Amino acid sequence: MDIDHLLTTSDPVAVDALKAEACRLRDAVYGRRVFMRGLIEISNHCRNNCLYCGIRRDADRDPQGANCPPGRRLRRYRLTPQQILDCCRTGYALGFRTFVLQGGEDAWFTDEVVCGIVEAIKRQYPDCAVTLSLGERGRESFRRLRDAGADRYLLRHETADAAHYAFLHPAEMSFDHRMQCLRDLRDLGFQVGAGFMVGSPGQSLATLKKDLRFIEDFKPEMVGIGPFIPAAGTPFENERAGSVELTLRLLAIIRVLHPSVLLPATSALGTMHPRGREQAIAAGANVVMPNLSPQDTRALYSIYNNKLSTGSEAAESAADIRLRMKAIGMDVPTDRGDYRK
Ligand code: SAM
């Protein structure tokens, strides 16, 4: 595959052929099926200060460090273990068989607390997979989470270029540590998710090619990519958003490079385009992650501006997604949707 050409060509025939090949490969491994994951946004507290992220530590301040006017302050929340279990109960009744617990790096969620939640979910719903996406932790912590029964872990690598990583993150965050986390997770037997934003500030053709090489070599079981969308109150709030078209093209390239990957049609795509998720499926994606979080906290998990949050009940958004997927000829099974080699 001529990646340079596919990333830059303006020939629609070449792009359509790429997407058709991506769908053919996906269907050969998984059939015409889209797997649903119930996303539960457990906390918007975060000790990190990623320059792009709307829930970063300094999100209550303006980029110069002064406090924001009250209207722009980010209200922080965290769900209780009972609220998280309630979301799972709702999700199970709606046919979800994977729950994704995602949040900022919130010290309240110690190993003990997270292990207790994972064990409770596994006890109540033994036929479900639990995915965690709680940021970087130590190997010992990951081992405890795995022993408690967590099946999968999503930790986007964000960029496979060390200098670009340093541009996107404060000095206290380390590219090497992020990559080490991914290797530890793999060693411990997690199904591992990596990924990156498309069009993040400082991204270039060269850094994208490194991302693709990393995916080809490491072969994460899942790859989450979505356009970068500026977030108010962050140092990148005035940067341009990433392109939907390039994101779709990259989804197709990733499917061709790694045919058995689980590839979500992310909500960032759905935010940028009303049919973004359908277009992602037509480019080779096969996962959707409707939101199971309580309605009153969804708007607070504001990692970027205008994040898709219908405010509708979990039942309504799950039904909406099922209808949309069926309308484009995809089946939505009640299934954990594990990785297939
Ligand atoms: N704290 C965990 C972590 O770091 O993996 C999980 C939560 S974090 C908010 C989830 C993902 O959101 C990040 O990996 C990042 O790629 C994405 N994200 C953050 N800010 C974004 C933005 N402005 N536009 C698009 N995606 C963004």
Side-chain angles (χ1 to χ4, degrees), residues 116-138:
I117 297 168
V118 172
E119 281 160 3
I121 298 175
K122 286 294 203 176
R123 212 172 24 249
Q124 291 177 31
Y125 309 105
D127 52 339
C128 290
V130 173
T131 304
L132 299 176
S133 179
L134 303 173
E136 298 179 29
R137 301 171 88 99

mmCIF file of all heavy atoms in Angstrom, residues 116-138:
data_model
loop_
_atom_site.group_PDB
_atom_site.id
_atom_site.type_symbol
_atom_site.label_atom_id
_atom_site.label_comp_id
_atom_site.label_asym_id
_atom_site.label_seq_id
_atom_site.Cartn_x
_atom_site.Cartn_y
_atom_site.Cartn_z
ATOM 1 N N GLY A 116 -12.564 -2.980 43.290
ATOM 2 C CA GLY A 116 -13.870 -3.285 43.884
ATOM 3 C C GLY A 116 -14.978 -3.132 42.850
ATOM 4 O O GLY A 116 -15.890 -3.968 42.763
ATOM 5 N N ILE A 117 -14.886 -2.075 42.031
ATOM 6 C CA ILE A 117 -15.928 -1.835 41.015
ATOM 7 C C ILE A 117 -15.872 -2.924 39.934
ATOM 8 O O ILE A 117 -16.898 -3.492 39.534
ATOM 9 C CB ILE A 117 -15.753 -0.429 40.393
ATOM 10 C CG1 ILE A 117 -15.939 0.649 41.473
ATOM 11 C CG2 ILE A 117 -16.730 -0.215 39.249
ATOM 12 C CD1 ILE A 117 -15.516 2.054 41.032
ATOM 13 N N VAL A 118 -14.651 -3.230 39.498
ATOM 14 C CA VAL A 118 -14.515 -4.249 38.434
ATOM 15 C C VAL A 118 -15.046 -5.592 38.943
ATOM 16 O O VAL A 118 -15.809 -6.290 38.241
ATOM 17 C CB VAL A 118 -13.034 -4.384 37.994
ATOM 18 C CG1 VAL A 118 -12.856 -5.568 37.049
ATOM 19 C CG2 VAL A 118 -12.541 -3.090 37.335
ATOM 20 N N GLU A 119 -14.690 -5.951 40.189
ATOM 21 C CA GLU A 119 -15.151 -7.236 40.731
ATOM 22 C C GLU A 119 -16.676 -7.267 40.831
ATOM 23 O O GLU A 119 -17.301 -8.280 40.503
ATOM 24 C CB GLU A 119 -14.523 -7.480 42.107
ATOM 25 C CG GLU A 119 -13.090 -7.977 41.976
ATOM 26 C CD GLU A 119 -12.261 -7.778 43.245
ATOM 27 O OE1 GLU A 119 -12.808 -7.300 44.261
ATOM 28 O OE2 GLU A 119 -11.059 -8.084 43.205
ATOM 29 N N ALA A 120 -17.257 -6.144 41.239
ATOM 30 C CA ALA A 120 -18.722 -6.112 41.366
ATOM 31 C C ALA A 120 -19.380 -6.270 39.993
ATOM 32 O O ALA A 120 -20.358 -7.013 39.838
ATOM 33 C CB ALA A 120 -19.159 -4.806 42.019
ATOM 34 N N ILE A 121 -18.836 -5.604 38.979
ATOM 35 C CA ILE A 121 -19.430 -5.730 37.626
ATOM 36 C C ILE A 121 -19.316 -7.185 37.160
ATOM 37 O O ILE A 121 -20.263 -7.777 36.638
ATOM 38 C CB ILE A 121 -18.739 -4.785 36.613
ATOM 39 C CG1 ILE A 121 -18.909 -3.317 37.023
ATOM 40 C CG2 ILE A 121 -19.301 -4.998 35.206
ATOM 41 C CD1 ILE A 121 -18.158 -2.316 36.143
ATOM 42 N N LYS A 122 -18.135 -7.763 37.360
ATOM 43 C CA LYS A 122 -17.918 -9.134 36.892
ATOM 44 C C LYS A 122 -18.806 -10.142 37.635
ATOM 45 O O LYS A 122 -19.235 -11.140 37.068
ATOM 46 C CB LYS A 122 -16.436 -9.505 37.061
ATOM 47 C CG LYS A 122 -15.543 -8.843 36.044
ATOM 48 C CD LYS A 122 -15.886 -9.377 34.671
ATOM 49 C CE LYS A 122 -14.779 -9.252 33.697
ATOM 50 N NZ LYS A 122 -15.077 -9.850 32.401
ATOM 51 N N ARG A 123 -19.037 -9.854 38.929
ATOM 52 C CA ARG A 123 -19.905 -10.739 39.715
ATOM 53 C C ARG A 123 -21.339 -10.660 39.194
ATOM 54 O O ARG A 123 -21.999 -11.661 38.974
ATOM 55 C CB ARG A 123 -19.855 -10.284 41.178
ATOM 56 C CG ARG A 123 -20.000 -11.412 42.183
ATOM 57 C CD ARG A 123 -19.758 -11.023 43.633
ATOM 58 N NE ARG A 123 -19.950 -9.642 43.988
ATOM 59 C CZ ARG A 123 -18.968 -8.799 44.343
ATOM 60 N NH1 ARG A 123 -17.717 -9.221 44.372
ATOM 61 N NH2 ARG A 123 -19.231 -7.552 44.673
ATOM 62 N N GLN A 124 -21.790 -9.429 38.937
ATOM 63 C CA GLN A 124 -23.190 -9.254 38.522
ATOM 64 C C GLN A 124 -23.435 -9.587 37.052
ATOM 65 O O GLN A 124 -24.528 -9.992 36.684
ATOM 66 C CB GLN A 124 -23.630 -7.810 38.791
ATOM 67 C CG GLN A 124 -23.729 -7.505 40.282
ATOM 68 C CD GLN A 124 -24.102 -6.042 40.562
ATOM 69 O OE1 GLN A 124 -24.806 -5.415 39.788
ATOM 70 N NE2 GLN A 124 -23.616 -5.504 41.670
ATOM 71 N N TYR A 125 -22.403 -9.380 36.237
ATOM 72 C CA TYR A 125 -22.567 -9.575 34.780
ATOM 73 C C TYR A 125 -21.387 -10.382 34.239
ATOM 74 O O TYR A 125 -20.545 -9.854 33.510
ATOM 75 C CB TYR A 125 -22.643 -8.210 34.067
ATOM 76 C CG TYR A 125 -23.647 -7.281 34.694
ATOM 77 C CD1 TYR A 125 -23.235 -6.216 35.483
ATOM 78 C CD2 TYR A 125 -25.017 -7.498 34.533
ATOM 79 C CE1 TYR A 125 -24.154 -5.382 36.094
ATOM 80 C CE2 TYR A 125 -25.948 -6.668 35.149
ATOM 81 C CZ TYR A 125 -25.512 -5.609 35.928
ATOM 82 O OH TYR A 125 -26.417 -4.793 36.544
ATOM 83 N N PRO A 126 -21.332 -11.680 34.614
ATOM 84 C CA PRO A 126 -20.148 -12.469 34.233
ATOM 85 C C PRO A 126 -19.963 -12.610 32.724
ATOM 86 O O PRO A 126 -18.871 -12.951 32.263
ATOM 87 C CB PRO A 126 -20.388 -13.831 34.897
ATOM 88 C CG PRO A 126 -21.794 -13.819 35.375
ATOM 89 C CD PRO A 126 -22.285 -12.421 35.427
ATOM 90 N N ASP A 127 -21.027 -12.344 31.972
ATOM 91 C CA ASP A 127 -20.910 -12.480 30.513
ATOM 92 C C ASP A 127 -20.471 -11.173 29.850
ATOM 93 O O ASP A 127 -20.494 -11.062 28.625
ATOM 94 C CB ASP A 127 -22.249 -12.947 29.912
ATOM 95 C CG ASP A 127 -23.433 -12.080 30.340
ATOM 96 O OD1 ASP A 127 -23.333 -11.392 31.383
ATOM 97 O OD2 ASP A 127 -24.456 -12.070 29.630
ATOM 98 N N CYS A 128 -20.073 -10.188 30.660
ATOM 99 C CA CYS A 128 -19.672 -8.899 30.082
ATOM 100 C C CYS A 128 -18.169 -8.672 30.181
ATOM 101 O O CYS A 128 -17.518 -9.166 31.103
ATOM 102 C CB CYS A 128 -20.366 -7.750 30.815
ATOM 103 S SG CYS A 128 -22.128 -7.699 30.468
ATOM 104 N N ALA A 129 -17.661 -7.892 29.242
ATOM 105 C CA ALA A 129 -16.257 -7.469 29.286
ATOM 106 C C ALA A 129 -16.187 -6.106 29.970
ATOM 107 O O ALA A 129 -17.085 -5.278 29.811
ATOM 108 C CB ALA A 129 -15.692 -7.368 27.875
ATOM 109 N N VAL A 130 -15.110 -5.906 30.732
ATOM 110 C CA VAL A 130 -14.883 -4.595 31.345
ATOM 111 C C VAL A 130 -13.633 -3.985 30.723
ATOM 112 O O VAL A 130 -12.563 -4.609 30.700
ATOM 113 C CB VAL A 130 -14.701 -4.705 32.871
ATOM 114 C CG1 VAL A 130 -14.302 -3.355 33.466
ATOM 115 C CG2 VAL A 130 -15.991 -5.202 33.516
ATOM 116 N N THR A 131 -13.810 -2.792 30.196
ATOM 117 C CA THR A 131 -12.702 -2.035 29.616
ATOM 118 C C THR A 131 -12.429 -0.846 30.522
ATOM 119 O O THR A 131 -13.367 -0.154 30.928
ATOM 120 C CB THR A 131 -13.086 -1.504 28.216
ATOM 121 O OG1 THR A 131 -13.494 -2.604 27.406
ATOM 122 C CG2 THR A 131 -11.922 -0.778 27.560
ATOM 123 N N LEU A 132 -11.168 -0.602 30.828
ATOM 124 C CA LEU A 132 -10.807 0.572 31.622
ATOM 125 C C LEU A 132 -10.059 1.559 30.742
ATOM 126 O O LEU A 132 -9.327 1.164 29.823
ATOM 127 C CB LEU A 132 -9.930 0.163 32.815
ATOM 128 C CG LEU A 132 -10.590 -0.803 33.808
ATOM 129 C CD1 LEU A 132 -9.600 -1.226 34.886
ATOM 130 C CD2 LEU A 132 -11.839 -0.181 34.437
ATOM 131 N N SER A 133 -10.264 2.843 31.018
ATOM 132 C CA SER A 133 -9.523 3.889 30.311
ATOM 133 C C SER A 133 -9.312 5.011 31.321
ATOM 134 O O SER A 133 -10.049 5.995 31.350
ATOM 135 C CB SER A 133 -10.325 4.358 29.086
ATOM 136 O OG SER A 133 -9.625 5.390 28.417
ATOM 137 N N LEU A 134 -8.330 4.788 32.174
ATOM 138 C CA LEU A 134 -8.115 5.663 33.331
ATOM 139 C C LEU A 134 -6.731 6.284 33.304
ATOM 140 O O LEU A 134 -6.222 6.744 34.328
ATOM 141 C CB LEU A 134 -8.325 4.862 34.636
ATOM 142 C CG LEU A 134 -9.710 4.187 34.758
ATOM 143 C CD1 LEU A 134 -9.774 3.296 35.979
ATOM 144 C CD2 LEU A 134 -10.818 5.248 34.798
ATOM 145 N N GLY A 135 -6.100 6.264 32.148
ATOM 146 C CA GLY A 135 -4.802 6.923 32.011
ATOM 147 C C GLY A 135 -3.647 6.041 32.458
ATOM 148 O O GLY A 135 -3.780 4.823 32.592
ATOM 149 N N GLU A 136 -2.511 6.703 32.680
ATOM 150 C CA GLU A 136 -1.277 5.971 33.001
ATOM 151 C C GLU A 136 -1.284 5.553 34.468
ATOM 152 O O GLU A 136 -1.653 6.336 35.347
ATOM 153 C CB GLU A 136 -0.065 6.875 32.732
ATOM 154 C CG GLU A 136 0.040 7.269 31.269
ATOM 155 C CD GLU A 136 1.220 8.191 30.991
ATOM 156 O OE1 GLU A 136 2.234 8.126 31.709
ATOM 157 O OE2 GLU A 136 1.102 8.995 30.047
ATOM 158 N N ARG A 137 -0.872 4.333 34.715
ATOM 159 C CA ARG A 137 -0.698 3.834 36.077
ATOM 160 C C ARG A 137 0.558 2.989 36.061
ATOM 161 O O ARG A 137 1.128 2.715 34.998
ATOM 162 C CB ARG A 137 -1.910 2.995 36.526
ATOM 163 C CG ARG A 137 -3.229 3.780 36.500
ATOM 164 C CD ARG A 137 -4.448 2.906 36.723
ATOM 165 N NE ARG A 137 -4.812 2.713 38.122
ATOM 166 C CZ ARG A 137 -5.762 3.371 38.763
ATOM 167 N NH1 ARG A 137 -6.444 4.315 38.134
ATOM 168 N NH2 ARG A 137 -6.061 3.111 40.026
ATOM 169 N N GLY A 138 0.999 2.554 37.219
ATOM 170 C CA GLY A 138 2.187 1.710 37.292
ATOM 171 C C GLY A 138 1.859 0.270 36.906
ATOM 172 O O GLY A 138 0.690 -0.120 36.918
#
